[in-house]
Amino acid sequence: MKQLILISLLLPVLCLAQSPTQNIQGIIVDRDTKQALIGATVKVSDLGENFGTVTDVDGSFLIENVPVGRHTIEAQYLGYDAYSEEGVILNAAKALYLNIELIESVAKLNEVVVSAFKGNEPLNELSVVSTRSFSVEETQRYPASANDPGRMAMGLPGVQASRDTRSDVVIRGNSSVGLLWRLNGIDIPNPNHFARRGSSGGGITIFSISMLSNSDFSTGAFPAEYGNAFSGVFDLKFRKGNMQEREYTFRAGILGLDFSTEGPIQEGRSSYLVNYRYSTLGILNSLGFFLVGPRTNNTFQDLSFNLHFESENRRSQLDFWGIGGLSSEIFSAKEDLDDSNVFDDYLTRDNQTNMAAVGLTHTLLIDEKSYLKTTLAAMGQTIDYLNDTINIRTNTPVNINEERYDQNRISLAACYSRKLNTRLTLKAGAFASVLTYDLFQDSLSYINNARNTSLNEQGAAGLVQPWIQFRYRPTIQWTINIGAHSQYFGLGGDQPTFEPRLGIAYALNERQTLSFAYGLHSRILPVGAYFTQIERADGSFDTPNRTLDLIKAHHLVLAYDHKIGRNARFHVEAYYQRLYDVPAAADPNSSYWMLNDIDGFPKQALLSDGQGRNFGVDVSLEKAFQQGTFFILSGSVFASQFRTRADENWLDTRYNSDFAFTFLGGKEWSLKKSGVFQLGLKILSNGGMRLPELTSDQLINGSSRLAPISNINSYTNSARTYFRPDLQIAYRKDRASRAWRIALDIQNVVSRINDDGLEYVFDGETQTWDFRKQSGLTPILSFQIDF
C-alpha cells in the first residue's frame, strides 16, 4: 500500500521529467534608468514556486529545466509595479530570454494598486492612448500575416485593410505616407520589398520575425520623441542573440526560405544574430495561386544582423546592426491580345527596389538615475520603376513612364533619460540627418505623344528634430506626460515647427481608466514633391513646389479602458484629427489633394492650403492569450474628409470607407507528447475603397461596367464592401533538442473576390471603366524547425 502511495505521488514528477525542458533566462532593470534590480523575484507562476529564482548583482536570472509549452512569467521587486506576461511560448530548442523592465511605484502602503490589463501594454510608458505592443509570437500566430508586422497590424483596431496584395498601413482614414518606421531608436526609410514611391507601404517588410523583439505600434497622439509622422508609428527593435549557446532556425514555405543563427561571440559578454531570407513566390504562381496577379513575377531577398557587446560591469552596451533587402516585380503583357479590351492587357511594368541600413547603437548607464542612448546610422534606398505598353497598330513596345529615385541618409539620434525622483522622469533627445537625393521621372504625354520630364533633381538637405518629455505621477491614480517636439527641414517653408504633446491617464478605480492625449504633429513631404517641374511657355522649366510647408495635424484622443477579469478588457477611443498645410492644386478649379495619392509624386503646381479631418470611434473587446484562447473584436465608425480651394464643402478622401470591422482570434489544444494544435481566424471588413467620381453611378446592362470618369480628384463612389476571412491551421511539436511547426495560412478562405480600383476598358467606340479584381483563395504553407 505504501508503495502505491509513493508511486502515485511520484507519477506527476516522472511524467514531468519525461517532457522536454528548456531554460528561461533574462535580466530585470528599472525602465527609466536601465539599472539592474538586484534581488528581484521571477517565477513561472503556472508551475508553482519550484520554478522561480531571484536576480543576481547584474540583474540577471536563470530558471532551469522548465517544461516546454506556454507559461505565465511574473516578476516582482519591492517598491515597483509587478510584471506579468501570459501565453509565453518556451520550446525545446531555444532558451527563452526576457528583458523585463519594471516601473517604480508611487503607491503608498495599504493604497489600492491599479490593476493593469495583462495583455499588450505599450513598451513606451509615455504612450497613454492608441498604442499597443506586439510580440514575435503574435505576428506568427495571426492568420495570413505572413510573419510580417505590417500585415499583422491590419487586424488591429483603427487600421483598415484595403488591398490584399499590399501592406500599406491605413490608420483612421489617413494616407500611409504619414506612417513612421523606426528601428533600434532611429528613423529609417520605407522598409518594404516592392516599396511604393513616395509612400511607406509596399508588398512585405524586410523584417524577419527571427530578428525582432517586442515592439510598439501607435495609431495617433504619440509622445514627443516621435516626429515626422501624422498617422502612426512602428517602433521596432532587434533582439540580441543567445550569449550562452548556439541556436538555429530554418523556415521553408511557398513564400520563401528563411534561415537564422545566433550564439555567443564571447560567452556571457557578447552575441551575434544573423538572418537571411530568399523568396520562392514562383512556386506559388506555378501552382496557379497568385498573390499579386497571374502575369506578375515577384522575387525578393534580405539579410539582417545584430552584434551585441557588453562591458564587464554591463554599464556600457554596444549593438552593431544592419538590414538590407532586394526585390523585383515584373508585370508582363497578356500573351494573347486578339480579344483584349482592357488597357492593362497591353501593359508591362518593371519595378526594382533596394533598401539598406547599418547602424551603431550605444547605451551608457551614466549613474544610478540616468542613461544615455545614441545611434549613428547610414541608410539608403533606390526605386527603379519602368512602365511600357504595346502599340496596338505596330505591335511594338512604347515607354510611357520611367522613374528612378535614389535617396541616402546619415542620421544621428540621442536620448537622455533621468529619473528626477520617484514621481518625475525626464526624457530628452534629438535626431539629426543629412539626406541626399537623385530623382528622375519622365513620362509620355497622352495628348501629343511628347516626352515630359516632370522630375529631375539632385541635391542634399538637413533634418533636425529636438524633443523633450516629462512623466509626472503625483498619485497612483494620475499619470501626466507633457512634452514638445520641433522639426526643421532644409527644404520647404514655414519652419521650424513647435509641436506640443500632452497625455493624461486617470484611474477611476482598480479596473477602469480614463485617458486623454493631444499632440500637434508634422511630416515632411516625400522629397520628390518639392521638385515637380512645370514647363513654361518659352520651353524653360519652373519648380513651383520648393517652398511647400510641412503637413501638420492636430490629434485629440479620449479613451476609456475597463478591465474585465484578469485577462480581458473593453476599450473605447474617440478621436479627432485636423490636418492642414496639405499640398493641394494651385488651380482653383481642381480638387487635387496630395494625400489622396496612393503613391508617386505630384505633376502639377501646388499650394499648402489643403485641409483634412478624420474623426470617429474605435471600440474593441480583447482577451489576452490565456488557457489556449485569445481574441480581438473591434469595430470603427469614422469619417475621412478633405477640402481644397476649389471646394467649399468637405469631400470624401480615397480612404473614407465609413466603417471597419475586425475579428482576430484563435484556440490551441495541447496534445500528447508535447504536441500543440492551433486554429486561428481573422475576418476583415470595411465599407470599400473610394473611387473617382463618375458621370453616372448606374450599372450598364446589369454588369459592373461603369460610365467614364468625370472628376479623377473627387471620390464620391466606392467599391463593394470589403470582406475577407483568413484561416490558419498549425501544429507545433517539441522534441528533446529541437522544435518544429507546420502551418497552413489560407488567405480569403471563402474566395470572395473583392473589388480593387478601376481599370480602363475599350470595346469598339465604347470607352468605360470597370472594377479590377483582388485575390481569391490563396493558401500559404510553411514549415519551421528550431535546433
Side-chain angles (χ1 to χ4, degrees), residues 100-113:
I100 299 174
E101 297 182 344
L102 301 183
I103 299 177
E104 190 171 4
S105 175
V106 297
K108 298 177 181 179
L109 192 63
N110 298 325
E111 189 172 22
V112 174
V113 177

Side-chain angles (χ1 to χ4, degrees), residues 76 80-84 103-118 121 473-479 505-515 560-566 569:
Q76 293 182 330
Y80 283 74
D81 295 339
Y83 165 91
S84 178
I103 299 177
E104 190 171 4
S105 175
V106 297
K108 298 177 181 179
L109 192 63
N110 298 325
E111 189 172 22
V112 174
V113 177
V114 177
S115 181
F117 169 66
K118 303 302 181 185
E121 300 95 337
R473 296 189 297 163
T475 68
I476 188 63
Q477 286 83 20
W478 286 95
T479 298
Y506 176 69
L508 302 173
N509 52 50
E510 62 177 348
R511 292 191 175 273
Q512 300 180 75
T513 302
L514 192 64
S515 305
Y560 169 76
D561 192 89
H562 186 186
K563 181 183 174 185
I564 305 170
R566 177 179 171 83
R569 71 169 175 178

